[in-house]
Amino acid sequence: MTQTVNHFALLPLYAAGGTALLVLVLELAFGRFVLPAGILGGLATIGAAVALGLRPASTFCGPEHCSWVSGPQAAVVAVLFAALTIGVLALSAPALRAGIAPPGEFCFLLAAAMAGGVVIAYAGDLITLIVGLETLTLPLYVLVGLRRFAPRERVTTTGASAAVTFFLVSVISTAIALLGAALLFASTGVLHLAVLTEGSGPLAPLGAVGAALLVIGFAFKVAAVPLHAWAPATYDGAPVPVAAYLSTASKLGGVVALAAVVQRLDTGPLVAVLAVLTMTVGNLVALRQTRTVRLLAWSSVAQAGYILAALAVGSAGVPAAIAYALFFVVLEFVAFAVVVAVRGPSADGGDLADFRGVGRGQPWLGAALVLALAGLAGLPPGLAGLFAKVTVIAALINAGWGWLAAVVALNALIALAYYLRVAALLYARSEPVGVPFADLPAPEPAATGSTVTAVADPDLLRAATHPRVPVPRTVAAAVAVAGTITVVLGFAPQWIFDALLG
């Protein structure tokens, strides 16, 4: 049989892979223009994905099934991967222009990761899916180690140790996933997602073990408990824009991979246990966090638990899980973008105390972060997050998993504690600070030599000791665009998502 290749179906991959090659050539030939090339390549990938979404086509097909399958859901995922790549490039632009990080290597690695995300979106079999996940993840090992972004004196985790932790756990999880895929193939003789099954007869137990191992291996990508320990250390040790990519694009890849297998395999009980552990541990540990990026990391662990809860019911919960993932990554990106805007391009995420009064000094940044936090908590005005949580809970109730819906609701209430704490901190006044003035003239001779303490105005003192970092235009644009998308998604009618998610 002669197999033909439909190059139109591969346009998004050509655009993403071509971006990586273009950036590499420009860096070697001219040493500049790499950032605009990366952004234009991301836009080209979006255009190619939209064109393929309007006119679906598949390729690498056998007698019955294809390894590259397009559709509305694949187009949405590919567009989101490309958009997140553009957003992270915008957040990183000031640091790249200042030479804090190597622009050529950074843009090339990010474009290569985007190509992996595109492969995940269109994967039609397990091997293509795992290759896409690894192509997405491998460049991130190096990006995490680019610790020149931030000063080291306040960093609790170095970039090198964060990269090594991320690499070791990822390699183990990949080996587990490959073993699961091998056992499934040994049991059923199929790898295409459209006909994926655990099999029947004497080899059915082997297929069940393979399905469990596959889910556990993919669970690493979403930082599900007990494969979550890498996330807080890695996020805190990585440059903040890279942490944003890890928390959004990398997690989206894991969700898509899990959704592709759980809707065809009987893994509901295992995924439900992972969901309960993930959301509960994530929320309880987030309550104790004082560093900003670590709090966002534990929050993203908890959010992964909500997504896993929807996936536990199988195919009936996949649309809700994908919708929740789409909302989550946009809200999470807004939160990280505000952190970059407040802290500056070369700083780490800092402590929560560093964000005290930000809403007073920079109202639009405070409003954007409150919008993101409210959405992650499922509260107005973050209507996107509220819609997402209602969608997940409704899917669980409709599938007869009322107990899991109750666990989701309980954990959402627990999460309110730290989301509201951070939101309130943004508009809190600085505490009065006693400032000793030993050299002030004593008002009376008897008081000569005494120390007089004057209480300085807290806002003036903070302005003098913690000056606001000017927000670069590219970072401001990223915050504004992501915030606008969040608001639009919050008001989007249900039928739009039904059409997009099939």
Side-chain angles (χ1 to χ4, degrees):
M1 182 186 67
T2 301
Q3 186 180 76
T4 59
V5 177
N6 188 335
H7 293 282
F8 177 75
L10 295 173
L11 274 182
L13 180 59
Y14 289 159
T19 301
L21 293 177
L22 177 62
V23 166
L24 185 61
V25 170
L26 290 175
E27 171 66 15
L28 293 175
F30 304 103
R32 53 180 179 169
F33 307 127
V34 292
L35 184 61
I39 293 176
L40 289 176
L43 293 174
T45 304
I46 291 176
V50 171
L52 187 57
L54 295 176
R55 184 185 162 191
S58 300
T59 189
F60 302 132
C61 298
E64 298 180 359
H65 306 288
C66 300
S67 295
W68 187 271
V69 182
S70 63
Q73 180 176 308
V76 171
V77 173
V79 166
L80 195 53
F81 273 117
L84 290 171
T85 303
I86 294 172
V88 171
L89 286 174
L91 295 183
S92 308
L96 298 179
R97 292 196 183 103
I100 298 172
E105 292 89 333
F106 186 90
C107 293
F108 169 75
L109 292 169
L110 206 58
M114 176 178 66
V118 170
V119 173
I120 293 171
Y122 295 99
D125 62 58
L126 281 179
I127 300 303
T128 305
L129 186 62
I130 293 175
V131 168
L133 279 172
E134 290 311 299
T135 307
L136 170 65
T137 306
L138 282 173
L140 299 180
Y141 303 148
V142 183
L143 288 173
V144 167
L146 293 177
R147 206 60 191 100
R148 281 185 283 168
F149 265 78
R152 294 179 179 271
E153 58 268 16
R154 295 189 62 194
V155 177
T156 59
T157 305
T158 65
S161 64
V164 170
T165 301
F166 184 30
F167 172 75
L168 291 177
V169 181
S170 179
V171 167
I172 295 172
S173 69
T174 301
I176 293 173
L178 286 172
L179 177 59
L183 293 179
L184 276 174
F185 182 74
S187 174
T188 63
V190 298
L191 286 173
H192 286 95
L193 298 175
V195 291
L196 194 64
T197 177
E198 297 176 19
S200 59
L203 295 179
L206 185 64
V209 173
L213 292 177
L214 194 62
V215 168
I216 292 172
F218 288 164
F220 159 82
K221 305 298 181 182
V222 299
V225 175
L227 300 173
H228 68 289
W230 64 273
T234 302
Y235 289 15
D236 201 25
V240 179
V242 176
Y245 201 77
L246 280 169
S247 185
T248 55
S250 179
K251 187 154 291 188
L252 177 64
V255 170
V256 173
L258 280 170
V261 298
V262 300
Q263 61 182 319
R264 299 173 177 93
L265 301 175
D266 185 16
T267 57
L270 173 61
V271 177
V273 171
L274 291 176
V276 172
L277 290 175
T278 301
M279 70 178 82
T280 304
V281 172
N283 282 321
L284 292 179
V285 180
L287 293 171
R288 303 174 53 249
Q289 299 305 306
T290 58
R291 285 190 62 80
T292 308
V293 172
R294 281 186 175 264
L295 183 140
L296 291 175
W298 284 107
S299 164
S300 71
V301 170
Q303 299 292 335
Y306 305 142
I307 297 172
L308 289 172
L311 293 177
V313 302
S315 58
V318 167
I322 296 295
Y324 194 104
L326 297 179
F327 289 131
F328 160 73
V329 296
V330 177
L331 292 165
E332 190 83 350
F333 180 82
V334 173
F336 274 99
V338 173
V339 172
V340 174
V342 172
R343 296 285 296 163
S346 62
D348 62 359
D351 298 323
L352 292 177
D354 296 327
F355 289 79
R356 177 182 286 272
V358 165
R360 291 174 174 269
Q362 295 169 295
W364 72 279
L365 286 179
L369 187 52
V370 167
L371 176 67
L373 294 173
L376 292 172
L379 294 175
L383 297 179
L386 177 62
F387 174 86
K389 281 191 170 54
V390 170
T391 301
V392 168
I393 291 175
L396 291 172
I397 293 176
N398 292 336
W401 291 61
W403 68 272
L404 190 53
V407 175
V408 170
L410 178 61
N411 273 275
L413 291 176
I414 296 173
L416 290 179
Y418 57 86
Y419 286 130
L420 294 179
R421 173 166 62 96
V422 177
L425 190 67
L426 294 173
Y427 295 93
R429 292 181 63 88
S430 300
E431 297 178 358
V433 181
V435 182
F437 295 92
D439 296 332
L440 286 177
E444 298 179 5
T448 302
S450 62
T451 299
V452 180
T453 299
V455 177
D457 180 87
D459 292 329
L460 291 178
L461 183 63
R462 179 173 180 81
T465 58
H466 296 80
R468 297 297 183 198
V469 178
V471 181
R473 286 178 295 179
T474 55
V475 177
V479 175
V481 171
T484 302
I485 292 174
T486 301
V487 173
V488 171
L489 288 178
F491 287 98
Q494 174 72 49
W495 65 268
I496 293 179
F497 296 96
D498 291 340
L500 290 176
L501 302 175

Short mmCIF file of all heavy atoms in Angstrom, two decimals, residues 11 16 35-36 48 52 83 89 130 176 186 216 240-241 249 301 325 348 353 371 384 391 467 470 480 488 492:
data_model
loop_
_atom_site.label_atom_id
_atom_site.label_comp_id
_atom_site.label_asym_id
_atom_site.label_seq_id
_atom_site.Cartn_x
_atom_site.Cartn_y
_atom_site.Cartn_z
N LEU A 11 0.46 21.77 8.12
CA LEU A 11 0.82 23.19 8.11
C LEU A 11 1.15 23.74 9.50
O LEU A 11 2.14 24.47 9.66
CB LEU A 11 -0.31 24.00 7.47
CG LEU A 11 -0.29 24.13 5.94
CD1 LEU A 11 -1.45 25.00 5.48
CD2 LEU A 11 1.03 24.70 5.47
N ALA A 16 5.35 25.81 13.18
CA ALA A 16 6.05 25.78 14.47
C ALA A 16 7.50 25.34 14.32
O ALA A 16 8.42 25.96 14.86
CB ALA A 16 5.30 24.86 15.43
N LEU A 35 13.67 37.63 18.35
CA LEU A 35 12.41 37.82 19.08
C LEU A 35 11.25 38.12 18.14
O LEU A 35 10.20 37.47 18.23
CB LEU A 35 12.57 38.91 20.13
CG LEU A 35 11.37 39.17 21.03
CD1 LEU A 35 11.02 37.91 21.82
CD2 LEU A 35 11.64 40.33 21.98
N PRO A 36 11.38 39.08 17.21
CA PRO A 36 10.29 39.28 16.24
C PRO A 36 9.99 38.04 15.42
O PRO A 36 8.83 37.74 15.12
CB PRO A 36 10.80 40.43 15.36
CG PRO A 36 11.82 41.14 16.19
CD PRO A 36 12.45 40.08 17.03
N ALA A 48 -2.15 28.90 10.65
CA ALA A 48 -2.21 27.57 10.06
C ALA A 48 -3.20 26.68 10.80
O ALA A 48 -3.94 25.90 10.17
CB ALA A 48 -0.81 26.94 10.08
N LEU A 52 -6.56 24.99 9.19
CA LEU A 52 -6.80 23.54 9.26
C LEU A 52 -8.08 23.23 10.02
O LEU A 52 -8.76 22.24 9.73
CB LEU A 52 -5.60 22.85 9.91
CG LEU A 52 -5.61 21.32 9.91
CD1 LEU A 52 -5.73 20.77 8.50
CD2 LEU A 52 -4.35 20.79 10.59
N ALA A 83 -0.36 30.75 21.17
CA ALA A 83 -0.63 32.01 21.87
C ALA A 83 0.16 32.11 23.17
O ALA A 83 0.68 33.18 23.52
CB ALA A 83 -2.13 32.14 22.14
N LEU A 89 7.11 34.94 25.20
CA LEU A 89 8.13 35.75 24.52
C LEU A 89 7.95 37.23 24.85
O LEU A 89 8.94 37.96 25.05
CB LEU A 89 8.05 35.54 23.01
CG LEU A 89 8.59 34.21 22.49
CD1 LEU A 89 8.31 34.07 20.99
CD2 LEU A 89 10.09 34.09 22.75
N ILE A 130 3.21 10.60 22.78
CA ILE A 130 4.35 10.62 23.70
C ILE A 130 5.51 11.40 23.10
O ILE A 130 6.21 12.15 23.82
CB ILE A 130 4.76 9.18 24.04
CG1 ILE A 130 3.65 8.50 24.85
CG2 ILE A 130 6.07 9.15 24.83
CD1 ILE A 130 3.89 7.03 25.14
N ILE A 176 7.68 5.24 32.54
CA ILE A 176 6.45 4.58 32.98
C ILE A 176 5.38 4.63 31.89
O ILE A 176 4.69 3.63 31.62
CB ILE A 176 5.94 5.24 34.28
CG1 ILE A 176 6.93 4.97 35.42
CG2 ILE A 176 4.55 4.73 34.65
CD1 ILE A 176 6.59 5.71 36.70
N ALA A 186 0.89 -4.88 23.62
CA ALA A 186 1.03 -6.33 23.76
C ALA A 186 -0.32 -6.99 24.02
O ALA A 186 -0.57 -8.13 23.60
CB ALA A 186 2.00 -6.66 24.88
N ILE A 216 -0.54 7.11 35.00
CA ILE A 216 0.42 7.58 36.00
C ILE A 216 1.55 8.36 35.32
O ILE A 216 2.00 9.40 35.82
CB ILE A 216 0.97 6.40 36.81
CG1 ILE A 216 -0.14 5.81 37.68
CG2 ILE A 216 2.14 6.83 37.68
CD1 ILE A 216 0.25 4.52 38.38
N VAL A 240 10.76 33.51 35.87
CA VAL A 240 9.30 33.60 36.03
C VAL A 240 8.56 33.38 34.71
O VAL A 240 7.55 32.68 34.68
CB VAL A 240 8.91 34.95 36.68
CG1 VAL A 240 7.39 35.06 36.81
CG2 VAL A 240 9.56 35.08 38.05
N PRO A 241 9.01 33.94 33.56
CA PRO A 241 8.30 33.63 32.31
C PRO A 241 8.32 32.14 31.97
O PRO A 241 7.34 31.61 31.44
CB PRO A 241 9.06 34.45 31.26
CG PRO A 241 9.70 35.56 32.02
CD PRO A 241 10.06 34.96 33.34
N ALA A 249 1.36 25.94 29.37
CA ALA A 249 1.49 25.11 28.17
C ALA A 249 1.85 23.67 28.51
O ALA A 249 1.26 22.72 27.98
CB ALA A 249 2.54 25.70 27.24
N VAL A 301 -1.32 22.99 41.15
CA VAL A 301 -1.50 21.58 41.50
C VAL A 301 -2.97 21.32 41.85
O VAL A 301 -3.58 20.34 41.39
CB VAL A 301 -0.58 21.20 42.68
CG1 VAL A 301 -0.93 19.80 43.22
CG2 VAL A 301 0.88 21.23 42.25
N ALA A 325 -9.41 23.43 31.38
CA ALA A 325 -7.98 23.64 31.10
C ALA A 325 -7.76 24.92 30.30
O ALA A 325 -6.81 25.68 30.55
CB ALA A 325 -7.41 22.43 30.35
N ASP A 348 13.17 37.57 40.60
CA ASP A 348 12.39 36.36 40.83
C ASP A 348 10.98 36.76 41.26
O ASP A 348 10.63 37.94 41.27
CB ASP A 348 13.07 35.48 41.88
CG ASP A 348 13.18 36.17 43.23
OD1 ASP A 348 12.75 37.34 43.34
OD2 ASP A 348 13.70 35.56 44.17
N ALA A 353 4.70 39.43 50.60
CA ALA A 353 4.79 40.76 51.22
C ALA A 353 5.22 41.82 50.22
O ALA A 353 4.90 43.01 50.39
CB ALA A 353 5.75 40.72 52.41
N LEU A 371 -8.53 39.85 39.05
CA LEU A 371 -9.34 39.13 38.08
C LEU A 371 -8.87 37.70 37.94
O LEU A 371 -9.68 36.75 37.90
CB LEU A 371 -9.27 39.85 36.72
CG LEU A 371 -10.00 39.17 35.56
CD1 LEU A 371 -11.50 39.18 35.79
CD2 LEU A 371 -9.67 39.87 34.24
N ALA A 384 -14.88 33.50 33.92
CA ALA A 384 -14.34 32.34 33.21
C ALA A 384 -14.09 31.19 34.17
O ALA A 384 -14.44 30.04 33.90
CB ALA A 384 -13.04 32.73 32.50
N THR A 391 -19.04 23.96 35.20
CA THR A 391 -19.05 22.95 34.15
C THR A 391 -18.54 21.61 34.67
O THR A 391 -19.12 20.55 34.38
CB THR A 391 -18.19 23.42 32.96
OG1 THR A 391 -18.70 24.66 32.46
CG2 THR A 391 -18.21 22.39 31.84
N PRO A 467 10.75 51.09 45.28
CA PRO A 467 10.23 51.83 44.13
C PRO A 467 9.60 50.89 43.11
O PRO A 467 10.07 49.77 42.90
CB PRO A 467 11.49 52.50 43.55
CG PRO A 467 12.63 51.68 44.04
CD PRO A 467 12.22 51.17 45.39
N PRO A 470 9.23 50.24 36.41
CA PRO A 470 8.45 50.58 35.22
C PRO A 470 8.07 49.32 34.44
O PRO A 470 8.89 48.43 34.25
CB PRO A 470 9.41 51.48 34.42
CG PRO A 470 10.39 51.98 35.42
CD PRO A 470 10.54 50.90 36.44
N ALA A 480 -2.52 43.02 29.28
CA ALA A 480 -3.78 43.58 28.77
C ALA A 480 -4.51 42.60 27.86
O ALA A 480 -5.72 42.40 27.98
CB ALA A 480 -3.50 44.89 28.03
N VAL A 488 -13.53 38.16 28.01
CA VAL A 488 -14.36 37.70 26.89
C VAL A 488 -14.80 36.25 27.10
O VAL A 488 -15.97 35.90 26.88
CB VAL A 488 -13.59 37.86 25.56
CG1 VAL A 488 -14.35 37.19 24.42
CG2 VAL A 488 -13.37 39.32 25.26
N ALA A 492 -18.57 34.32 27.27
CA ALA A 492 -18.85 33.53 26.07
C ALA A 492 -20.00 32.57 26.34
O ALA A 492 -20.02 31.88 27.35
CB ALA A 492 -17.60 32.74 25.66
#
